[in-house]
Amino acid sequence: MKRILIVGGGYAGFYAAWKLERRLRPGEAELTVVDPRPYLTYQPFLPEVVAGSVEARHAAVSHRRHLRRTRLVSGWVTVIDHEHRRVTVQPAEGTEFELGYDVIVVTAGAVTRKFPVPGIAEEAIGLKHVEEAVAIRDRLLTAFDRAAVLPPGPMRQRLLTVTVVGGGFSGVEGFGEALSLAHALVRRYPEIRRDEVRFHLVEAGERILPEVTDRPGRWVVESLRCRGARVHLRTTVTSAVDGHVVLSTGEEFDSELIVWTAGNAANPVVDKHTDLPVDEHGHIVVRPDLRVGTEAEPVADAWAAGDDAAVPDLVAPAAGTRTVPNAQHAFRQGKLLARNIVASLRGREPEPYVHRSLGAIATLGIGHGIFQYRRIVITGVLAWLMHRGYHVLAVPTWERKVRVLVVWLTAGLFGRDVVSLASVEHPRDAFVSGGAPRPAAPPVPPIPPAPTSRPSTEGDQP
């Protein structure tokens, strides 16, 4: 049997394996998926996990439940040696080992792009995985609990300040959903005024949501500002040491929660640890039919798709355009991968990837959304309902569709669940302390008044 190895179990990898199981004849090929996580993360639901509108486990699709004819290997692929048809796998426990293959499918996905900003590595949370979305929600809920018993002052204001860096879909949707949750919490905390809750969205570009045109993008900014948010355009974070955020405009404030969503970077194993051809951005060079290589120099028995592949966009007006690295493309490419691999095994020609955009849609919190398809722009409640309708149909497996729909209906009847489970990060505390309260934290020193004139920091930019 042909040994097919899929590197990564995200959108493209999961769908490729899922559809291959249905298309391959018994005994035709052996499937293996290598991924450190035992599930596919449905990332469009992460902002709603932040807001408590979707249960965390419902944004994850179990590999073992749905990939029943596939060997699942828990670990990270650290080296791809295609010349010798083998990869090196590093498991969470134990020593690394090698796996051989006949056909490789690289769908490892991208990683969060980070910049050398002081304090970000120590203070910020990403928004790419379920555990990050859960941590953001729990931190926000816990911050309200802590702030409610404090008198007005620097510490209370710090707890009620949230900063999101990055104005793409992930950042804007996470920001809008967290803002919606915070406004809902104010109604349950009479000790906290709405004007004490401060949300900052920081974007280095001139506008947010680059996937939509200028006018809808401006509408989103104005909508967020009308809801009390502060949107900083053409602005970067120069420091976040100890939660003290310093912006390139000179503005400074303390923030208990910092969320970093400033784009994607190439996966290190694809960028630096493979003999497969990569472009200047660290993405695998892919033909329109998702085979690795170029028309003149194809690479035998190698396929790639998703965020770590430079897939040509055949419907774009400009030559050389690549498909946008998003979920809409990844899961469609995963389905095509399965069809093309089976066709190749049976001596048929694979077909090229051609996909016309269905438009851009984003949630900005309960009752707030935006949809754009060419010149058609829909905003408000209708766009929000369209967002929910699209994604409940797009999330894989009927089991997940039903679970998500039930949670939405329940929340519509009874409201959000506003219980923080941040204590699960320290499950032994109650056992060790025997129920005794923790020692009080040392008092926070007062913040000195801002100087009347601030020296130039132009030379300190990262």
Side-chain angles (χ1 to χ4, degrees):
M1 290 192 297
K2 286 283 188 180
R3 297 170 299 168
I4 302 174
L5 177 67
I6 300 176
V7 181
Y11 292 108
F14 175 85
Y15 272 98
W18 198 27
K19 298 301 181 181
L20 278 170
E21 286 190 348
R22 301 182 181 187
R23 291 178 176 273
L24 290 169
R25 303 187 189 106
E28 187 173 11
E30 176 186 275
L31 293 175
T32 301
V33 172
V34 183
D35 195 281
R37 288 179 170 81
Y39 53 81
L40 152 72
T41 301
Y42 191 72
Q43 292 181 356
F45 277 160
L46 294 186
E48 296 208 50
V49 172
V50 169
S53 300
V54 170
E55 183 66 31
R57 286 185 175 86
H58 298 168
V61 181
S62 169
H63 288 161
R64 293 195 178 274
R65 175 165 185 164
H66 300 288
L67 301 180
R68 299 177 181 178
R69 295 171 51 196
T70 300
R71 178 190 177 193
L72 300 172
V73 178
S74 179
W76 293 263
V77 170
T78 57
V79 179
I80 299 174
D81 182 1
H82 189 63
E83 181 181 358
H84 299 96
R85 301 297 195 274
R86 66 190 180 196
V87 299
T88 302
V89 179
Q90 176 61 62
E93 303 290 342
T95 59
E96 63 182 23
F97 57 90
E98 292 185 345
L99 283 178
Y101 63 84
D102 298 307
V103 178
I104 191 168
V105 182
V106 183
T107 57
V111 297
T112 301
R113 181 176 58 182
K114 296 185 287 289
F115 296 99
V117 178
I120 285 297
E122 296 78 15
E123 300 291 334
I125 303 176
L127 187 51
K128 204 171 185 65
H129 302 289
V130 172
E131 59 268 28
E132 293 174 323
V134 173
I136 292 169
R137 170 179 165 80
D138 284 343
R139 280 203 185 185
L140 183 58
L141 293 172
T142 302
F144 268 73
D145 282 334
R146 294 168 59 192
V149 298
L150 291 177
M155 188 59 195
R156 178 179 170 114
Q157 188 57 70
R158 174 193 174 105
L159 290 167
L160 297 176
T161 301
V162 176
T163 305
V164 176
V165 185
F169 262 89
S170 178
V172 171
E173 288 191 310
F175 184 83
E177 289 287 351
L179 179 63
S180 177
L181 172 60
H183 287 170
L185 289 175
V186 168
R187 294 194 292 270
R188 299 177 182 268
Y189 287 82
E191 306 91 343
I192 297 175
R193 302 190 314 274
R194 182 164 175 165
D195 61 354
E196 291 183 278
V197 180
R198 297 180 184 176
F199 272 66
H200 298 265
L201 178 62
V202 183
E203 166 56 37
E206 295 185 352
R207 64 187 185 91
I208 61 176
L209 295 181
E211 292 86 351
V212 303
T213 54
D214 289 346
R215 187 175 178 182
R218 289 194 298 269
W219 179 88
V220 174
V221 171
E222 291 305 315
S223 173
L224 293 174
R225 285 174 174 167
C226 288
R227 293 162 61 192
R230 305 183 184 189
V231 182
H232 307 266
L233 300 178
R234 297 181 294 277
T235 305
T236 59
V237 175
T238 60
S239 177
V241 176
D242 297 328
H244 183 70
V245 178
V246 181
L247 303 182
S248 58
T249 58
E251 185 175 351
E252 301 181 22
F253 51 87
D254 286 332
S255 182
E256 179 69 10
L257 177 58
I258 303 173
V259 182
W260 185 269
T261 65
N264 295 324
N267 194 298
V269 68
V270 172
D271 187 17
K272 302 176 181 177
H273 302 289
T274 179
D275 55 354
L276 296 172
V278 298
D279 64 12
E280 66 277 10
H281 302 294
H283 299 146
I284 295 180
V285 177
V286 176
R287 295 152 52 113
D289 58 11
L290 306 182
R291 287 184 287 187
V292 175
T294 62
E295 295 294 339
E297 298 182 10
V299 178
D301 302 322
W303 305 76
D307 292 355
D308 58 9
V311 180
D313 191 342
L314 299 183
V315 300
T321 303
R322 309 298 187 191
T323 58
V324 178
N326 61 21
Q328 189 177 133
H329 284 296
F331 88 83
R332 286 171 173 80
Q333 290 169 7
K335 293 179 180 179
L336 180 63
L337 272 174
R339 297 199 300 271
N340 282 353
I341 291 171
V342 170
S344 178
L345 291 176
R346 297 174 184 172
R348 300 196 305 268
E349 282 297 313
E351 59 186 273
Y353 176 70
V354 180
H355 171 65
R356 299 187 182 278
S357 174
L358 301 177
I361 192 166
T363 175
L364 306 173
I366 291 181
H368 303 275
I370 183 169
F371 167 77
Q372 181 178 18
Y373 177 71
R374 298 181 180 177
R375 295 185 179 181
I376 301 173
V377 178
I378 300 173
T379 60
V381 176
L382 180 57
W384 174 72
L385 290 172
M386 292 171 63
H387 176 275
R388 288 203 160 185
Y390 171 78
H391 284 296
V392 79
L393 293 175
V395 66
T397 79
W398 279 101
E399 169 250 342
R400 276 295 177 264
K401 298 179 197 296
V402 173
R403 289 181 186 272
V404 170
L405 189 58
V406 169
V407 170
W408 279 342
L409 293 175
T410 304
L413 292 173
F414 303 108
R416 312 175 200 246
D417 193 338
V418 294
V419 176
S420 169
L421 295 178
S423 57
V424 300
E425 298 178 17
H426 308 281
R428 296 185 67 251
D429 281 0
F431 175 75
V432 172
S433 67
R438 286 186 180 183
V444 178
I447 299 176
T452 54
S453 62
R454 187 174 181 274
S456 172
T457 57
E458 184 176 352
D460 298 332
Q461 301 297 317

